[in-house]
Amino acid sequence: MSARMVLLGPPGAGKGTQAARIAERLSIPAISTGDIFRANVAGATELGLKAKEYMDKGEYVPDSVTNAMVADRLSAPDAATGFLLDGYPRTEAQVGELEAMLAASGLALDVVVEITAETEAVVERLLKRADEQGRADDTEPVIRHRLEVYAEQTAPLAALYEGKGLLVRVDGMGGIDEVTERIAQALAARGIAA
């Protein structure tokens, strides 16, 4: 099944887990910007070296570099019939850039899925994960700050996509299988089924 989609949701909402499951069901690649960055840096590509300069200073990689990496990844053969983007776009400017990238190939997004989750439940989930995985830097203040940054910068994209008629909201609370089924049902209602 062909589908071009974006997955939104706060940290701890289960995006990574659900992205992998949905992409597998639809036989499309799950593309995470974190993975793209790591692959470009590890491969010492021109874009990877540029990104590393910023990352080494603890700065955000500029949109120009991020956009170029995403465009390069979307041009790969496995993304020809569709993809699931996780972690991109993060800003309104990137929304426009993604639209332009796709339009250049006569394509457009099919759907944007926002996984919603209650703040306190997400904080609890991330603190538990930090404890289990020994992530000492994932303290409650850090987690709450990440959620605030998400609310400020990325959550407005949901409103933007809702205005374009592309947004589907799915409750991210509950068991992993339960959430996967909710997403599958929401996609099926849009004519996208595995």
Side-chain angles (χ1 to χ4, degrees):
M1 175 79 207
S2 169
R4 288 169 187 83
M5 58 190 294
V6 167
L7 191 59
L8 298 176
K15 285 190 311 298
T17 300
Q18 296 302 333
R21 288 171 146 231
I22 297 303
E24 185 178 339
R25 281 185 178 210
L26 297 175
S27 299
I28 56 175
I31 300 172
S32 149
T33 45
D35 291 346
I36 295 172
F37 282 160
R38 284 185 286 278
N40 275 275
V41 169
T45 67
E46 185 180 336
L47 290 170
L49 295 173
K50 278 186 190 170
K52 190 173 182 323
E53 286 176 30
Y54 293 95
M55 292 159 69
D56 286 349
K57 294 184 223 167
E59 296 174 4
Y60 280 118
V61 177
D63 277 2
S64 59
V65 176
T66 303
N67 293 338
M69 283 187 190
V70 170
D72 181 61
R73 179 62 185 90
L74 293 182
S75 70
D78 69 336
T81 59
F83 53 80
L84 186 157
L85 279 171
D86 171 13
Y88 183 93
R90 285 187 189 261
T91 64
E92 287 191 38
Q94 289 178 352
V95 168
E97 186 62 30
L98 178 59
E99 283 179 359
M101 278 179 219
L102 295 173
S105 303
L107 304 170
L109 284 176
D110 297 307
V111 67
V112 175
V113 176
E114 180 184 23
I115 299 177
T116 61
E118 300 158 11
T119 300
E120 293 312 311
V122 167
V123 169
E124 195 176 304
R125 188 183 284 177
L126 289 173
L127 286 172
K128 183 178 178 209
R129 183 172 79 183
D131 188 48
E132 288 169 356
Q133 297 178 1
R135 295 183 182 193
D137 56 334
D138 268 0
T139 61
E140 187 168 339
V142 168
I143 289 167
R144 289 191 184 279
H145 177 69
R146 284 171 49 208
L147 291 170
E148 286 168 16
V149 168
Y150 172 79
E152 276 175 33
Q153 297 179 357
T154 312
L157 303 188
L160 191 70
Y161 281 125
E162 189 169 34
K164 295 174 183 286
L166 290 171
L167 188 72
V168 175
R169 285 191 174 90
V170 177
D171 181 2
M173 303 310 297
I176 293 171
D177 291 341
E178 196 180 335
V179 176
T180 302
E181 283 313 309
R182 280 188 209 130
I183 295 171
Q185 288 170 10
L187 293 175
R190 288 287 181 117
I192 302 168

